[in-house]
């Protein structure tokens, strides 16, 4: 027998992806987390290593190790490396080269190569599939909050102190000649959506 509760359950919606995220909101350029901590996320664009001499590679490695060592102890730092199957954004530079090249033969060769790469990104059964390495840097701080009656002024203080730490991190990355781009709330949601729902994200690119 079909009960009223059974009918109501059919129309109940489960919790969305956003409900499971560790941050409450992205406020004034800073992630405010549900546990009271604050954080920031950057995507790093590492310099190409192909063709570099061993001395330059060691210099780059030492620079990154020094960068990690100069991070203040009160900050929690994490590097995330992701082998992303979505290689289309990395081909934009190659596409622009194809436009700049003269001659139909060169253009057809480059178009065929791009099609081959895009086709291989969906290769999940073979030995070879196109991937691009993406690196993310997260920084998190656990500030001391004031009483509830002083939350507004406390947020201004916490945000200012944390942004000073973020500026220090960004200046160190600039010194290493490592390009970076901060992630905002929607950007992080889209990223986590692809991590947590890989199959669904291939059919529905953006989270609902």
């Amino acid at each position: 027998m079909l009960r009223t509760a059974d009918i109501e359950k059919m129309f109940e919606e489960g919790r969305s992806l956003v409900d499971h995220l560790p941050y409450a909101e992205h406020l004034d350029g800073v992630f405010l987390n549900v546990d009271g901590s604050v954080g920031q996320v950057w995507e790093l664009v590492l310099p190409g290593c192909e063709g570099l001499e061993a001395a330059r590679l060691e210099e780059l490695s030492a620079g990154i190790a020094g960068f990690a060592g100069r991070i203040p102890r009160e900050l929690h730092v994490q590097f995330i490396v992701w082998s992303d199957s979505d290689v289309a954004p990395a081909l934009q530079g190659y596409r622009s080269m194809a436009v700049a090249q003269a001659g139909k033969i060169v253009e057809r060769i480059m178009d065929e190569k791009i099609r081959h790469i895009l086709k291989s990104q969906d290769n999940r059964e073979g030995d070879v599939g196109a991937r691009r390495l993406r690196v993310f840097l997260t920084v998190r701080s656990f500030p001391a909050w004031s009483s509830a009656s002083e939350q507004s002024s406390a947020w201004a203080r916490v945000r200012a102190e944390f942004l000073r730490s973020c500026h220090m991190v960004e200046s160190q990355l600039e010194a290493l000649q490592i390009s970076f781009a901060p992630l905002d709330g929607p950007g992080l949601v889209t990223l986590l959506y692809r991590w947590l729902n890989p199959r669904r994200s291939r059919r529905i690119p953006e989270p609902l």
Side-chain angles (χ1 to χ4, degrees), residues 14-36:
R15 299 176 65 189
S16 68
L17 172 63
V18 176
D19 295 329
H20 297 276
L21 297 181
Y23 70 92
E25 60 181 319
H26 185 255
L27 185 62
D28 300 329
V30 175
F31 288 99
L32 177 59
N33 300 314
V34 294
D35 61 357

Side-chain angles (χ1 to χ4, degrees), residues 45-128:
V45 182
L46 298 180
C49 296
E50 293 185 6
L52 293 182
E53 296 181 354
R56 174 54 184 153
L57 292 175
E58 292 179 0
E59 179 184 352
L60 182 60
S61 177
I64 295 176
F67 161 75
R70 288 188 291 271
I71 297 294
R73 291 184 178 272
E74 63 270 17
L75 296 180
H76 296 247
V77 179
Q78 182 181 35
F79 286 95
I80 303 172
V81 180
W82 180 27
S83 178
D84 191 357
S85 61
D86 181 14
V87 299
L91 297 175
Q92 294 302 323
Y94 194 74
R95 290 181 186 275
S96 62
M97 290 174 54
V99 174
Q101 293 289 341
K104 292 294 184 181
I105 296 180
V106 174
E107 183 178 347
R108 289 191 61 180
I109 292 175
M110 299 183 79
D111 286 344
E112 182 61 31
K113 185 173 183 179
I114 290 176
R115 282 195 296 270
H116 176 73
I117 293 174
L118 292 176
K119 182 179 179 181
S120 68
Q121 73 178 349
D122 295 326
N123 183 10
R124 301 178 184 87
E125 298 180 356
D127 297 329
V128 179

